[in-house]
Amino acid sequence: MVARREGLAGGLVGLLVGDALGVPYEFHRASALPPAEAIEMRPPPGFSRSHRGVPPGTYSDDGAQALCLLASLLDRGGFDPEDFGARLLGWYEHGDLAVDGVVFDVGVQTGAALRRLAGGSPALEAGPSDERANGNGSLMRALPLALWHRGGDAELARDAALQSRVTHGHARSRVCCMLYCLWARRVLAGEADPWASATAALRALPLDEGEVEALEFHVRPDEASPEGRGSGYVVDALRSARMCAAEPSFEQAVRRAVALGDDTDTTACLTGGIVGLRVGLAGIPERWRAALRGRELWEPLLARLLEHDAASGR
C-alpha cells in the first residue's frame, strides 16, 4: 500500500495520463489498433491516429471536466451544482482547463446538457435522463470527488449522483458514478477487496427503484470476471475499467484499456485513475508523466488537493 499523499497524486495524474494515452487511438476498433506493447503517447509510424492536430500527451474532455470538478470542490468547499455547471460551460465555450484552451472532443449528451445550461436550465435539471442518454460523460470525470471528499459514504455517493445529473440524469449513470467513487475511496485506503466493499456500501444506502435496477441488473457487480468492450456506454465503461484495473501494473492496465478500442481515452482514464490510486505517482511510467501536457493547469490543483487533504487531518 502506498502512502495516502502518493496515492492521491497517482489518482489524479493517472486519470490524466490514461486519458492522454487513449486520445490518439479513439474511435478505432480493437482489431485496427497496434499491439498492446506498442501503445504509446505517440502512436507507431503509419497508424492513422485520431485528433491529428492534437499534440501527443494532451488530455481530452475527460481530464478537463475532472479538473473543473476538482477546482469547484476546492473553491466552494463542497459540491455546488451551479458552480460546477458554470465551470463546465467555461470549458465548453472558452476552453477553461483544456490544454492550450482547445476543446476538441465533446460527448453528445454532454453537449446537449451544456446547451441547456447556457439557455438558463438549473444545473441539476440539465442532464438528459432518458434511457438512451447513458454515455460515460459523467463517470469519466467523477474521481476528484473521491479524492477530495471528507464525508461518509452516503455523502460521497450523493454528491457523485448529483454531479452526474448536471449532464447525465439517468439512474444507470448515477449508480455508476456512485459505485466508481466508493470503489476509488477503498482503493486509496488500501482495502483488500475494494470493489466488493464498495458494492456492499452502495447496497446499504437508500437507493431508489431505478438505482437498484441499474446496479443489480445492468452493472451486475457480483460477477467475478466482468468483460468490458471499451464502448461509450456508461455501464460498459465501468465494467471495462474494473476488468483492466485487475492488471498488476499501471502500464499493463491502461494499455489493456486502450487495446479494447472505441472510447479509448475514457476507458484508459477510468482505469488510470483507479490504478494510479493503488500504485501511487511513482508507479506511473516516468516517460508518460513527462509527456503529459497542461502541467500549468493541473499541477496547481494537485498541490491544492494535497494541502486540503493534509488540513483535513487524514
Side-chain angles (χ1 to χ4, degrees):
M1 177 181 172
V2 300
R4 181 178 174 87
R5 182 181 179 90
E6 178 77 1
L8 287 169
L12 185 64
V13 175
L15 178 159
L16 297 171
V17 165
D19 180 9
L21 183 70
V23 164
Y25 307 96
E26 191 178 17
F27 310 130
H28 288 75
R29 292 185 177 182
S31 60
L33 294 178
E37 62 271 16
I39 291 172
E40 291 287 346
M41 293 283 190
R42 188 179 297 276
F47 178 75
S48 180
R49 60 168 299 179
S50 301
H51 310 295
R52 294 184 183 181
V54 176
T58 303
Y59 59 78
S60 71
D61 54 334
D62 305 47
Q65 289 185 40
L67 294 178
C68 286
L69 178 56
L70 179 57
S72 181
L73 291 167
L74 291 167
D75 286 350
R76 301 295 295 173
F79 181 67
D80 180 333
E82 295 300 330
D83 182 78
F84 178 50
R87 291 173 192 264
L88 290 181
L89 271 181
W91 162 77
Y92 184 59
E93 297 178 342
H94 307 295
D96 296 350
L97 293 176
V99 181
D100 301 326
V102 176
V103 176
F104 60 89
D105 196 8
V106 181
V108 173
Q109 287 128 38
T110 297
L114 294 181
R115 288 189 290 274
R116 290 183 186 180
L117 274 175
S121 170
L124 294 180
E125 299 174 13
S129 58
D130 59 282
E131 187 176 10
R132 295 177 62 87
N134 269 312
N136 54 27
S138 62
L139 178 62
M140 69 189 191
R141 64 179 186 238
L143 182 64
L145 272 170
L147 307 183
W148 173 90
H149 219 286
R150 303 182 186 191
D153 286 343
E155 291 78 16
L156 174 57
R158 175 202 64 204
D159 287 347
L162 289 176
Q163 74 81 29
S164 183
R165 285 176 54 185
V166 178
T167 56
H168 294 71
H170 194 273
R172 285 181 215 165
S173 293
R174 301 196 309 269
V175 161
C176 286
C177 290
M178 288 189 276
L179 182 53
Y180 184 81
C181 285
L182 292 171
W183 180 30
R185 167 173 277 183
R186 285 156 173 77
V187 173
L188 181 61
E191 292 195 17
D193 192 344
W195 178 266
S197 176
T199 299
L202 185 55
R203 284 176 171 149
L205 299 179
L207 304 179
D208 65 32
E209 184 177 349
E211 291 166 345
V212 171
E213 178 184 356
L215 178 64
E216 305 299 348
F217 296 100
H218 295 277
V219 177
R220 303 191 302 276
D222 295 329
E223 290 185 0
S225 301
E227 291 187 6
R229 297 170 296 152
S231 77
Y233 173 41
V234 66
V235 172
D236 183 52
L238 180 59
R239 289 166 62 85
S240 296
R242 182 187 170 204
M243 179 182 74
C244 295
E247 295 290 336
S249 73
F250 184 92
E251 185 167 334
Q252 290 169 294
V254 295
R255 278 179 160 171
R256 184 178 184 186
V258 173
L260 291 174
D262 296 319
D263 202 358
T264 51
D265 58 335
T266 298
T267 310
C269 160
L270 293 167
T271 303
I274 289 291
V275 181
L277 292 170
R278 188 180 79 215
V279 303
L281 191 62
I284 300 172
E286 195 280 332
R287 68 185 187 282
W288 288 349
R289 286 185 279 131
L292 180 63
R293 303 179 70 236
R295 191 171 300 273
E296 72 284 359
L297 302 173
W298 58 261
E299 276 194 336
L301 289 172
L302 175 57
R304 290 181 61 195
L305 171 65
L306 296 177
E307 291 172 5
H308 160 81
D309 193 70
S312 73
R314 289 181 171 171

